[in-house]
Amino acid sequence: MIPDALNKIRKYLQSERQRGYDNRTIFGGLEKAVKTWVIEAKTENIPEEQLQHVSQLFSAYAKMAIEDRKKGIDILWKQLNLDDLPGTIHGQKNTKPDKPDSSLTQYQTPATPLSNKQSSVTHSNKNDRIATSPRDDIGVGLDAPLNVVQGIGPARAKSLALLELRTLGDLLYYFPRRYDDYSQLKTIRDITYGQDVTIIASVQDVSSRPAKNRKIKITEAIVNDGTSSLRLTWFNQPWIIRRLQKGRLLSISGRVDQYLGRPVINNPDFEELDSEQLHTNRIVPVYSLTSHITQRWLRNLLFQTVRYWAPRVKDILPEVSITRNSLVDLPTALFQIHFPDDSVSLQAARQRLSFDEIFLLQLGVLKQKASWQALEARQFPVSDDLLNRMIAHLPYRLTGAQECVLSEIRNDLISGRPMNRLLQGDVGAGKTVLAALTVAMVCQQGAQSTLMAPTSILATQHYQTIQKLVSSQKNIAIKPDQIRLLIGDTSVQEKEEIRQGLADGSITLVIGTHALIESPVKFKDLQLVIVDEQHRFGVSQRALLRSKGHNPHLLVMTATPIPRSLALTIYGDLDLSILDEMPPGRQQIETQLLSPRERDRAYTLIRDQVSLGCQAFIIYPLVEEGENEETKAAVEEHERLQKHVFPDLRLGLLHGRLKAEEKDTIMAGFRSGEYQVLVSTSVIEVGVDVPNATMMIIEGANRFGLAQLHQFRGRVGRGSQQSYCLLIPESDDALENERLSAMTQTNDGFILAEKDLEQRGPGDFLGTRQSGFSDLRLADLTDLHLIEKARKEAQTLFQQDPDLTDPEHIILSGTYKRFWKEGQGDIS
């Protein structure tokens, strides 16, 4: 009888000869088979000398030249006497592998064909078998439906569609959500509790029994590798027993647990040694699933798809770009991101695919900026004398940072192209006064301006602030009666008056919310658009407002400090101005973290501040109880606080379900001192300015992100008095929250923004800035080095071919359009 180990080696060597010695017979190369083969061979008493011959060739094979591989296989063939084994095909010709089909184009990120890659895959495990050759790959592209892959019928396609997998490209780019590292092969006697391990062992005994409650069926197997025995257990998987034949040698992977003081592996994955090892003895991909789709089936499907189709995908990056940035080619990246040979290969794949995403993102940003700069805009020069008089009439002196930003804005207004500037500054840094001065510079020539805010509260506040600033200007550039407020709650009659005034030019500045973008609103001469908290508005909303003028200047503002990595990517089309200096007289807000048991101490501090004539906020995550049983809610807590805690104080209640006029009435009452304490939800996050408020209590603080917590804190400390912020999480366990600790350590919004990006990702910074960003599947927007590298490469290519019309950029052009989904408006 032929030893299975030698028969397996014969198959490997025959396959290598047929494939032209490309080292693709075994997934990961012949060297990957050495350890498991030696273990199997020893159980069959293969001579030690033959073991050494196989180990020496297979271990060195990857680094050998083709000719040396051929010689090495011929020598090993003779050393193992394989010609004497039955079934050997003598005098077999070597054949070259088919060259990959170059007709495929890249799906959403770049790709190149590889030469000498294998074009099909087989599985020997009957239970996991999926047809491995395509039905017809002539002219098939990555937008082809999934039925081009055998094994996917209507029912499977319907289930895969629940995972947004509808095309071949979707499947290739369906990246694992995590990986289990089973690449460390161990003997049973060397395993320890808690390890993720792979062992090679033979099945000694198999049994099946119901658990004590008889609702769970337990399948158990005892395996032995010569060093010790180990119990394997599966729950409610009775079919497993059919695959566990006694004496069968298996590769087994899983996490070591313990039962009655002895090691055990629960629900391990296992494969026969002569199968392609996808589930054991390697870094194993783990995918998100849906009903009727199992991890094992999907993993086999992905392996089949990636192994056949990845080599047939074209690359949009020129070879010089790949070399200059030390990247792997895309077919290799696509293969290794799903089935990495090792951690180094996995990292290289992630690096390449992430680079592609940032690269395409940067191309869009550069194209948007170039198209904006190509436009002409009206110039608004202002003399030094007039500007100095405007500044002199302000109720306070500008900071150095404000003067610097004002100079940048002034230069934009005389450049002859539309201003496209992002003004970011921490809460209370003085953005509104710069907006007012910008309006004054434009309106002094008779042109119109508009300021759009995300909420009626913030719009009303801007209106009141700018009215005061304009009044102090003594009609230098604009009169108070030329400024109007347009929000959802504005009366029908007043709305009509405002529309008429905008149409005839008698209103030079309108401040409002989404009501500004309604079709009846038309301007006579709109030349300046200011958008506050711009991440709250979508692309189409900003574009709609800007379309009401002819190439108007655009100033967008945010109180959410933006990390440098995001400034280079998400906002790279905008010129950036930073207010990093607070007005004089502002004190640092003292921030403390309290346990829920210390809540009475917080109430005492509120009383102390109210006795000094100051006011306080108390913030709750929810409006009413019932939304979450464990979370305190504003409505019920307002009633409790008024009745039982502060019966002698006047408490207001503010939340998002109130009508706009109700919110305005309550905020006006709080500003005027009618209410001493304001109980609120997150509706007060943005822009609320009450200088007399010195105390902020945030209940359920662990439920908020850093950026949001910092915005809440910014509602106090806007006057000259010392202010306080107290953070109270829902439970003592949440006291160890990293975000809450960071809040107590710094008042610097930029530092907190970096931490928030690291912890929660870019969601809070993206807002509704949608185009392009939905396709960032792997890119880490905190990786400044990668961003800089991709940005530099994008700039180089953009300078050479801004319209992507060169023949070598045809694939890039198509990929770019799909990535950015052209036609959805600009990105700023």
Side-chain angles (χ1 to χ4, degrees):
M1 182 177 177
I2 306 169
D4 288 340
L6 287 183
N7 196 34
K8 186 177 294 184
I9 289 296
R10 180 181 63 180
K11 290 179 180 178
Y12 290 164
L13 300 187
Q14 284 178 337
S15 176
E16 277 299 297
R17 284 173 168 172
Q18 292 168 355
R19 298 183 52 77
Y21 310 97
D22 66 353
N23 198 24
R24 301 291 291 183
T25 293
I26 297 295
F27 177 57
L30 291 181
E31 62 271 27
K32 296 288 286 186
V34 173
K35 288 183 180 179
T36 54
W37 182 83
V38 168
I39 292 173
E40 181 183 1
K42 285 182 177 180
T43 65
E44 297 184 299
N45 297 316
I46 302 297
E48 185 67 32
E49 183 180 11
Q50 291 187 342
L51 298 183
Q52 291 178 4
H53 291 326
V54 173
S55 297
Q56 288 171 359
L57 176 63
F58 280 26
S59 298
Y61 196 77
K63 299 179 181 178
M64 297 169 66
I66 297 295
E67 190 60 35
D68 292 334
R69 290 177 182 178
K70 179 180 182 303
K71 291 179 182 178
I73 284 179
D74 290 343
I75 292 171
L76 181 61
W77 192 276
K78 293 177 181 178
Q79 290 171 332
L80 302 183
N81 299 314
L82 296 182
D83 276 329
D84 297 332
L85 295 180
T88 299
I89 301 174
H90 297 278
Q92 188 178 38
K93 283 187 178 182
N94 295 337
T95 59
K96 296 287 184 182
D98 293 337
K99 289 186 177 181
D101 179 359
S102 61
S103 65
L104 293 182
T105 57
Q106 208 273 327
Y107 169 54
Q108 284 195 346
T109 34
T112 64
L114 286 182
S115 60
N116 298 328
K117 297 289 185 186
Q118 63 191 54
S119 60
S120 64
V121 55
T122 58
H123 289 281
S124 61
N125 192 329
K126 295 178 182 179
N127 296 312
D128 295 326
R129 184 172 297 156
I130 297 175
T132 57
S133 59
R135 291 171 179 168
D136 182 7
D137 68 340
I138 299 175
V140 172
L142 292 186
D143 57 352
L146 286 180
N147 61 13
V148 300
V149 180
Q150 287 189 1
I152 300 182
R156 289 288 192 187
K158 188 175 181 180
S159 295
L160 290 170
L162 297 175
L163 296 172
E164 301 297 324
L165 301 177
R166 295 182 175 85
T167 68
L168 188 58
D170 291 336
L171 206 54
L172 274 178
Y173 280 82
Y174 190 64
F175 300 135
R177 62 183 175 88
R178 64 178 174 85
Y179 301 85
D180 289 333
D181 189 354
Y182 295 143
S183 61
Q184 300 304 309
L185 191 63
K186 286 183 174 287
T187 59
I188 294 177
R189 71 181 177 191
D190 292 330
I191 64 176
T192 57
Y193 302 126
Q195 287 182 324
D196 291 326
V197 300
T198 293
I199 59 171
I200 306 296
S202 59
V203 179
Q204 289 190 323
D205 188 42
V206 184
S207 63
S208 181
R209 59 180 174 83
K212 290 183 179 180
N213 61 14
R214 298 190 175 275
K215 292 182 180 180
I216 298 176
K217 193 155 190 175
I218 298 175
T219 302
E220 291 183 334
I222 305 298
V223 298
N224 186 287
D225 69 349
T227 68
S228 187
S229 295
L230 178 69
R231 183 185 301 275
L232 311 177
T233 305
W234 293 265
F235 301 96
N236 283 338
Q237 299 179 59
W239 61 87
I240 289 284
I241 201 166
R242 295 195 298 269
R243 297 171 55 195
L244 295 169
Q245 299 177 12
K246 288 185 180 181
R248 179 171 288 180
L249 198 63
L250 301 175
S251 173
I252 303 159
S253 293
R255 175 158 293 185
V256 182
D257 205 341
Q258 60 176 324
Y259 177 70
L260 299 177
R262 296 180 63 84
V264 61
I265 300 181
N266 294 319
N267 298 310
D269 275 313
F270 65 93
E271 299 168 289
E272 294 183 50
L273 283 181
D274 60 353
S275 69
E276 190 78 58
Q277 291 179 1
L278 302 183
H279 317 287
T280 64
N281 197 25
R282 58 168 301 105
I283 297 176
V284 178
V286 180
Y287 299 92
S288 296
L289 301 175
T290 187
S291 57
H292 307 301
I293 298 292
T294 66
Q295 191 66 241
R296 199 176 184 98
W297 183 88
L298 185 58
R299 193 178 293 139
N300 277 302
L301 175 66
L302 260 299
F303 181 69
Q304 164 196 293
T305 304
V306 172
R307 191 172 186 180
Y308 186 87
W309 291 105
R312 291 162 165 73
V313 180
K314 284 189 175 182
D315 203 325
I316 61 172
L317 288 183
E319 189 64 36
V320 64
S321 297
I322 296 173
T323 303
R324 182 162 52 224
N325 294 284
S326 302
L327 302 170
V328 298
D329 56 72
L330 194 74
T332 298
L334 284 173
F335 195 87
Q336 294 294 328
I337 197 70
H338 288 282
F339 299 98
D341 291 338
D342 47 45
S343 58
V344 174
S345 300
L346 175 58
Q347 179 57 33
R350 290 187 67 92
Q351 181 85 354
R352 168 61 204 261
L353 294 167
S354 297
F355 181 95
D356 293 346
E357 291 177 349
I358 299 294
F359 175 79
L360 288 168
L361 182 61
Q362 288 297 312
L363 279 182
V365 164
L366 291 170
K367 194 168 185 177
Q368 173 64 25
K369 190 167 187 175
S371 64
W372 187 255
Q373 291 176 332
L375 299 174
E376 292 184 358
R378 192 189 305 177
Q379 295 176 311
F380 291 94
V382 58
S383 67
D384 291 341
D385 178 63
L386 179 58
L387 185 60
N388 288 335
R389 280 194 292 138
M390 290 180 186
I391 295 173
H393 283 87
L394 292 173
Y396 41 76
R397 292 190 59 180
L398 296 180
T399 65
Q402 287 174 312
E403 290 177 350
C404 181
V405 172
L406 185 60
S407 176
E408 293 171 339
I409 292 173
R410 185 184 181 190
N411 289 335
D412 287 343
L413 294 177
I414 62 173
S415 67
R417 60 179 178 81
M419 173 169 63
N420 198 31
R421 185 166 295 280
L422 170 62
L423 172 57
Q424 63 165 320
D426 217 336
V427 286
K431 297 180 292 297
T432 305
V433 68
L434 292 177
L437 288 170
T438 306
V439 168
M441 286 189 280
V442 170
C443 291
Q444 52 95 21
Q445 291 193 21
Q448 293 172 300
S449 302
T450 183
L451 191 161
M452 184 166 69
T455 67
S456 58
I457 291 176
L458 186 54
T460 302
Q461 183 172 288
H462 279 313
Y463 174 73
Q464 294 168 345
T465 301
I466 292 178
Q467 279 280 13
K468 290 178 184 177
L469 291 172
V470 167
S471 297
S472 70
Q473 295 291 303
K474 303 188 186 304
N475 300 334
I476 293 176
I478 184 173
K479 298 177 182 179
D481 60 2
Q482 294 176 303
I483 305 173
R484 298 298 291 270
L485 177 66
L486 179 61
I487 56 178
D489 199 48
T490 304
S491 68
V492 175
Q493 181 179 347
E494 190 176 357
K495 283 183 179 177
E496 185 56 39
E497 292 175 3
I498 293 172
R499 290 170 188 152
Q500 185 61 43
L502 292 173
D504 64 26
S506 59
I507 295 176
T508 54
L509 170 62
V510 61
I511 300 169
T513 55
H514 298 77
L516 292 172
I517 61 177
E518 294 174 357
S519 56
V521 178
K522 292 181 172 57
F523 294 81
K524 180 181 181 181
D525 186 21
L526 179 63
Q527 290 296 318
L528 173 64
V529 173
I530 302 175
V531 181
D532 194 19
E533 294 304 326
Q534 63 92 37
H535 63 290
R536 301 294 185 93
F537 296 101
V539 168
S540 58
Q541 291 171 316
R542 290 190 296 273
L544 198 58
L545 181 59
R546 199 162 50 197
S547 69
K548 293 178 179 290
H550 179 67
N551 298 342
H553 295 279
L554 175 67
L555 177 65
V556 294
M557 307 191 298
T558 179
T560 303
I562 298 168
R564 174 169 165 73
S565 59
L566 296 191
L568 290 173
T569 50
I570 299 170
Y571 302 104
D573 58 313
L574 300 169
D575 295 317
L576 185 63
S577 292
I578 299 175
L579 289 177
D580 53 4
E581 182 181 354
M582 298 299 287
R586 292 284 178 90
Q587 297 188 45
Q588 290 284 312
I589 300 169
E590 185 178 320
T591 305
Q592 296 181 23
L593 179 59
L594 302 183
S595 75
R597 291 173 295 177
E598 297 178 289
R599 191 171 281 112
D600 287 343
R601 177 184 161 199
Y603 296 156
T604 300
L605 289 171
I606 285 181
R607 284 193 173 279
D608 291 343
Q609 290 299 302
V610 171
S611 68
L612 296 173
C614 300
Q615 294 167 282
F617 291 97
I618 305 179
I619 307 300
Y620 292 94
L622 303 178
V623 177
E624 292 181 299
E625 288 181 2
E627 298 175 43
N628 185 305
E629 293 182 0
E630 298 178 356
T631 303
K632 291 186 178 296
V635 173
E636 287 79 8
E637 284 299 297
H638 171 263
E639 182 178 355
R640 181 185 71 84
L641 291 169
Q642 185 69 83
K643 284 184 178 180
H644 304 296
V645 182
F646 303 116
D648 54 329
L649 300 183
R650 299 180 301 277
L651 275 63
L653 175 63
L654 185 69
H655 56 76
R657 295 182 186 174
L658 297 174
K659 294 180 180 179
E661 62 179 7
E662 293 175 316
K663 294 178 188 175
D664 293 342
T665 300
I666 291 168
M667 279 309 305
F670 189 55
R671 286 195 194 94
S672 67
E674 179 183 343
Y675 301 114
Q676 296 156 310
V677 179
L678 183 63
V679 176
S680 176
T681 60
S682 60
V683 70
I684 61 97
E685 174 189 347
V686 174
V688 173
D689 186 10
V690 183
N692 194 47
T694 58
M695 173 65 72
M696 168 67 68
I697 294 178
I698 305 175
E699 291 276 6
N702 54 293
R703 287 184 158 266
F704 299 107
L706 263 177
Q708 205 171 13
L709 288 170
H710 185 60
Q711 289 296 315
F712 290 149
R713 180 168 60 183
R715 299 312 108 215
V716 298
R718 304 175 80 88
S720 58
Q721 308 101 312
Q722 176 64 55
S723 294
Y724 306 88
C725 179
L726 305 181
L727 309 172
I728 305 178
E730 292 174 319
S731 65
D732 288 343
D733 292 341
L735 285 169
E736 298 302 319
N737 189 298
E738 191 175 344
R739 294 194 302 277
L740 302 186
S741 298
M743 283 287 293
T744 65
Q745 293 165 9
T746 182
N747 276 255
D748 190 320
F750 289 94
I751 293 175
L752 294 174
E754 293 284 357
K755 287 183 177 292
D756 205 31
L757 179 61
E758 292 171 10
Q759 293 175 10
R760 289 158 58 95
D764 288 346
F765 301 95
L766 286 174
T768 50
R769 195 178 171 88
Q770 298 146 345
S771 297
F773 302 102
S774 61
D775 292 321
L776 296 182
R777 307 179 187 198
L778 287 177
D780 178 3
L781 291 179
T782 67
D783 189 344
L784 193 55
H785 176 70
L786 178 66
I787 289 169
E788 294 274 14
K789 190 161 68 169
R791 179 178 173 82
K792 184 177 180 180
E793 191 63 40
Q795 287 172 330
T796 299
L797 188 142
F798 190 77
Q799 290 170 0
Q800 296 170 352
D801 183 19
D803 296 321
L804 304 179
T805 55
D806 289 354
E808 63 177 334
H809 297 148
I810 291 175
I811 299 172
L812 171 58
S813 179
T815 304
Y816 169 85
K817 290 175 182 177
R818 285 191 296 274
F819 186 87
W820 278 103
K821 300 177 179 63
E822 281 192 350
Q824 292 188 359
D826 60 83
I827 62 175
S828 59

